[in-house]
Amino acid sequence: MTQKSVYIKFLVLVFIIFALQNTVSQERKKQAIPLSALLDKISSSHKVFFTYKANLLSNTFIQEEGFNNLSLKESISLLEKLTSFLFDDLGNSYYVIYPKKELADRKINAREKIVLASNVGIDSLHKENKISVKGIVLSSDNTPLIGATLQEITTLTGTTTEIDGTFELEVFKDNNVVISFLGHNSKTIKLTPNIFHTIVLLSGQELDEVQIVGSRNKNRVANDTPVAIDFIDIEKQSSKSSQVEMNQFLQHAIPSFNATKQSGADGADHIDPATIRGLGPDQTLVLINGKRRHQTSLINLYGTRGRGNSGTDLNSIPISAIKRIELLRDGASAQYGSDAIAGVLNIVLKDADDALNVTSTIGFNNADVNAVFPNKVDGFTYKLGLNYGTKIYNGGFINFSTEVLSTDHTYRPGTSAREKFGQAAVKSVGIFINAEIPIQENSKFYLNGGFNYKNTEAFAFTRKPNSERNVLSIYPKGFNPLITSDILDNSLSFGMLTNFKDWNIDLSNTFGRNNFKYLIKNTLNATLEQNSPTEFDAGGHQLIQNTTSIDFSKYFFAKTYGFNIALGLEYRVDKYKIVAGEEASYAAYDINGELVNSQTPVDDFKRLNGHIIPGGSQGFPGYSPENELDKNRSNFSGYLDTEIDFSKKFMIGTAVRYEYYSDFGSTLNYKLASRFKVTKKFNVRSSFSTGFRAPSLVQVYYNLTFTNFIGDMPTESLLVANNSAIARRFNVDNLKEERAKNFSLGFATKLSPNFCATIDGYYVSVNDRIILSGNFDASNLGLGIQNVQFFANGVDTETTGVDVVLNWNKKIENGEVSIDLSGNINHMSITEIKNKQLDKETFFGERDRQFLLASAPNSKFNLGVNYQYKKIKTSLSFTRFSSVELIDWQISEDLSNFNNSETERLAAAKDFYESKITTDLHLSYQFNSVINLQLGVNNLFNIYPTKQNSFTDSGGLWDATQMGTNGAFYYTKLNIKL
């Protein structure tokens, strides 16, 4: 047992003991009921109404017995003694609830202002400085709110709305009024005379749907957006999910999101590539609390979805730290900058300030690919997550999350090229923090950030006993190299939000870093023969990104319309570094034990069976000093973003953004979007935008000599930097930005409180997409290598599709039933291959084209049926993955093996994966307010992709497909909420 494993298991034990101790202490409170429930009983008994801010009474419990047979006055008096709240009688049977400290502060402020006003006389205070205001208070569905409270901040005088939701009130000039209603989000606004004010309060689920992503209008809610946005409530979704990592969690929650577990794909085995609508992993922008998240330093290479791209490691963010996820399914480069061609994924962190949540998940995979029920298991998984929030400094909060994850290898049938095929093992520890501290009345300081350490192990292709890549005295039966990694991912974002003359101002700085270090084990350097070590430090890479920005926004009211203006500036610095490994990890040694270089005579190369013995660590060769680099670039941008509400029915949004990059120049992008309310329950929406993605520093500068497998035959390949002289010799230009056009048209409807639906069609064209070329003959370059590859702006693509989301729910006695149907239909085509004078099939051949086109299945649909009865919840879901077609390595074999027929060779090389349906079943039981137990199985019937032959890229019987190759996963999850 390694020291790291002992450390992680020790942490697990500490967390379990801590959770159980708190659980026992909480049992003493089981006779208490929520304060809100007690107020409902008092309200029903005495025919009175209580109003208070949303979430004010959350997690406040009280003993019910002492209130039996008390009068209303006695009940109010006892409540004020037992709680930290004051119950203010507004008349008309209405009571408004405040924290005692807040009410005391308001009264002090009111007395101070009255004393100051006495200098001009009481009469002028009451007569000259007062105005009469009128209006109506509505819920977001335009229902009048009866009994909503309006209260002046300084004097605490106020009123409640009438039966039709209207009000009339006298207030002091330039004084703010608080409008609140039970279960709704309160508003504080300045009311003016001679205008009939229409005030809308958000309610229910919509409290969580105020946008950060897609709109900088603070008043915009989900149903009113001109573009498609998915909202994933983590707590609700996790009750019907077995997933322990973010990528797989979203894979099952959002049909247009696709994440594929890789195997035999070098670095991609350790960081999963993920896509939206089948576009590149680097064509989706990731935000955390609205701020840009850095990408990884890894570039996806051999046998990988998202080949030639770098994505963001979503698995480095603990699920326990996340409140909700917002996915903007629309091009947004004009709003947010580079990478937002496919959309924007915004992760909103938890902000609870009075709770402790502990979650423990244990699971395993069915290791028998031919049995529905497991008779042997592998892939044992354990995850422990903790989230704790508390109040700090005068209304602020700090929320802390940590997760420990351990996942073992899975072993599935391999081919002659690979004995150890399956999922990589992962050991991970992550910490995240989110905090806000009020500075003064209209300002607050915020901070969030995290640290994630990941240690992973993935088996490479088998080295056979009599191969020139093996030393029989070390591995008599051959060996399976083990590629391990140490990955550090950390970030810190901080800033200040303030309000000046009704302008919202946000000044922030966000720092992110990803370190990826390779450690190759169970390997050797064959040119060292029996003296070779079996472990090597192979070096690694690092990406650093720092973004400084300032944003301004304000909503302007007019008599017949309103409009929001947002503008801002951003300065970003990117740094990329490759660090060399130890010499033996990359070097080859000649017959004299000297380091092989360009001056080494050919006769001095070591050989076996007539073949030159390759140097470097087998499985993954180390980075050499020639690969080392330290590059950086800067970027400056400015944007203007507007939304105009011409009426309650019709709005238009526009955005324009200018960016200048120090390494390739400038770009200007724009966006137009609109929403029209056909009825109160039916919206039509549409958008058109241009977009771009700057070539990453990794794509510009990455270089490596590595072993590439064509079928089961290893060859030495050189991936040259795009800016190198070798790339120019092949007439490959310097990389420039990818350019996109994005069009969408759809509708959203809420036909009833129980049913809502959205359907959105889209078209995305991307010109000059950056691809990794095929292998060109390099034998005449005198570099001692057989093939050379490079990055190039190689293809133009068009993607069309439709997203569908349908939700229905119905509350029944003691329970609730809901049905969710969501789906994505997606089609991508390659419109041009920009190979210039290079051979088209070598530059981007049939096999490479299929890799790109199979980034996502042509369709994916999820159907979920959920039922809750009292303390029991059940969820049954079905996911259908459409068929996928790939081209395997037979396409590179000699035509003589196929009757000299290219048609026969292509037919033999096609790997067809039939459409499949997987079934997930989840069951949970709420023992009490503290403990919840969840059991379930993902892929209940142990369904696998269609079996293939021995020419797959992965070296197994399947390539990496969307449904995965691990089969059924059984799990149990314990949730403790204090």
Side-chain angles (χ1 to χ4, degrees), residues 857-861 879-885 911-918 943-948 961-963:
N858 290 332
S859 66
K860 186 173 78 173
F861 283 87
T879 303
R880 182 189 184 275
F881 301 89
S882 71
S883 61
V884 174
E885 187 175 283
D911 292 342
F912 183 75
Y913 293 88
E914 299 173 354
S915 61
K916 298 281 184 173
I917 296 177
T918 61
I943 302 297
Y944 280 84
T946 308
K947 288 184 180 180
Q948 305 299 327
T961 60
Q962 302 300 325
M963 64 178 295

Side-chain angles (χ1 to χ4, degrees), residues 364-543:
F364 55 85
N365 288 96
N366 181 354
D368 189 341
V369 300
N370 298 312
V372 173
F373 298 105
N375 51 47
K376 59 179 180 178
V377 300
D378 60 9
F380 181 81
T381 298
Y382 183 72
K383 174 182 168 182
L384 185 64
L386 180 147
N387 175 262
Y388 175 70
T390 186
K391 295 179 174 66
I392 57 170
Y393 188 70
N394 194 27
F397 73 87
I398 182 168
N399 190 278
F400 169 85
S401 303
T402 184
E403 279 188 0
V404 177
L405 172 66
S406 173
T407 302
D408 292 342
H409 288 279
T410 59
Y411 298 96
R412 298 295 176 265
T415 65
S416 60
R418 191 173 176 201
E419 296 174 352
K420 302 282 189 178
F421 168 70
Q423 175 183 283
V426 178
K427 302 290 184 292
S428 174
V429 177
I431 299 172
F432 240 83
I433 188 173
N434 185 32
E436 288 184 4
I437 301 175
I439 300 174
Q440 55 183 12
E441 182 180 355
N442 294 321
S443 302
K444 62 182 178 182
F445 171 81
Y446 62 85
L447 176 147
N448 65 74
F451 170 86
N452 178 264
Y453 168 73
K454 188 187 303 181
N455 173 257
T456 60
E457 294 182 346
F459 285 103
F461 279 59
T462 300
R463 268 54 177 179
K464 297 179 180 179
N466 294 320
S467 164
E468 65 273 12
R469 298 170 184 276
N470 184 35
V471 177
L472 286 172
S473 61
I474 300 177
Y475 298 110
K477 297 182 180 180
F479 65 101
N480 296 283
L482 190 63
I483 303 175
T484 77
S485 69
D486 283 336
I487 305 172
L488 292 175
D489 202 295
N490 55 295
S491 64
L492 178 65
S493 181
F494 61 90
M496 185 180 74
L497 278 170
T498 188
N499 186 281
F500 179 73
K501 294 187 177 180
D502 294 329
W503 281 92
N504 297 303
I505 304 172
D506 184 357
L507 176 64
S508 67
N509 188 84
T510 301
F511 171 85
R513 177 173 60 189
N514 177 267
N515 288 358
F516 195 118
K517 183 177 181 180
Y518 288 97
L519 299 168
I520 315 304
K521 301 179 180 180
N522 195 46
T523 185
L524 51 73
N525 182 327
T527 62
L528 288 174
E529 298 177 325
Q530 66 272 12
N531 298 318
S532 174
T534 57
E535 292 188 9
F536 298 92
D537 175 355
H541 29 75
Q542 178 190 80
L543 180 72

Side-chain angles (χ1 to χ4, degrees), residues 707-899:
T707 303
N708 197 359
F709 272 77
I710 299 178
D712 61 353
M713 294 298 296
T715 62
E716 298 305 310
S717 296
L718 173 63
L719 200 168
V720 300
N722 171 263
N723 67 334
S724 71
I726 295 177
R728 299 294 88 80
R729 287 177 63 176
F730 282 88
N731 197 26
V732 174
D733 296 329
N734 288 326
L735 291 180
K736 58 185 177 181
E737 75 275 20
E738 301 174 342
R739 295 172 290 110
K741 293 180 180 179
N742 195 310
F743 174 75
S744 68
L745 176 64
F747 70 85
T749 181
K750 192 170 185 178
L751 298 179
S752 72
N754 300 331
F755 178 77
C756 60
T758 64
I759 297 179
D760 294 275
Y762 57 87
Y763 165 83
V764 185
S765 70
V766 185
N767 291 338
D768 299 319
R769 285 187 68 166
I770 297 173
I771 55 98
L772 177 62
S773 76
N775 291 282
F776 285 87
D777 182 12
S779 57
N780 61 349
L781 296 179
L783 300 174
I785 58 172
Q786 297 162 279
N787 300 292
V788 65
Q789 293 177 278
F790 35 75
F791 292 97
N793 293 102
V795 299
D796 296 344
T797 64
E798 292 183 351
T799 303
T800 56
V802 178
D803 290 321
V804 179
V805 180
L806 307 175
N807 304 110
W808 176 85
N809 67 84
K810 178 71 172 178
K811 289 188 176 181
I812 56 179
E813 185 177 357
N814 295 323
E816 182 176 357
V817 62
S818 65
I819 299 176
D820 305 315
L821 174 63
S822 56
N824 171 253
I825 300 173
N826 193 78
H827 174 73
M828 183 191 298
S829 61
I830 298 173
T831 57
E832 184 178 356
I833 299 176
K834 301 182 176 182
N835 55 302
K836 296 185 177 180
Q837 289 81 32
L838 296 173
D839 178 71
K840 181 178 178 180
E841 281 302 307
T842 306
F843 179 76
F844 202 66
E846 184 72 25
R847 179 178 170 278
D848 298 304
R849 295 196 291 272
Q850 284 301 117
F851 252 121
L852 180 64
L853 298 175
S855 297
N858 290 332
S859 66
K860 186 173 78 173
F861 283 87
N862 296 333
L863 173 63
V865 180
N866 314 292
Y867 178 69
Q868 179 179 356
Y869 177 75
K870 294 184 178 180
K871 296 183 177 183
I872 299 175
K873 285 184 180 180
T874 60
S875 173
L876 180 65
S877 61
F878 306 91
T879 303
R880 182 189 184 275
F881 301 89
S882 71
S883 61
V884 174
E885 187 175 283
L886 294 173
I887 304 296
D888 63 35
W889 279 118
Q890 291 181 91
I891 198 69
S892 302
E893 290 193 344
D894 195 283
L895 273 179
S896 61
N897 297 330
F898 304 93
N899 299 318

Side-chain angles (χ1 to χ4, degrees), residues 2-17:
T2 66
Q3 186 175 358
K4 291 175 183 175
S5 299
V6 172
Y7 173 68
I8 291 173
K9 291 187 177 181
F10 174 72
L11 284 177
V12 169
L13 180 61
V14 170
F15 278 132
I16 292 174
I17 294 172

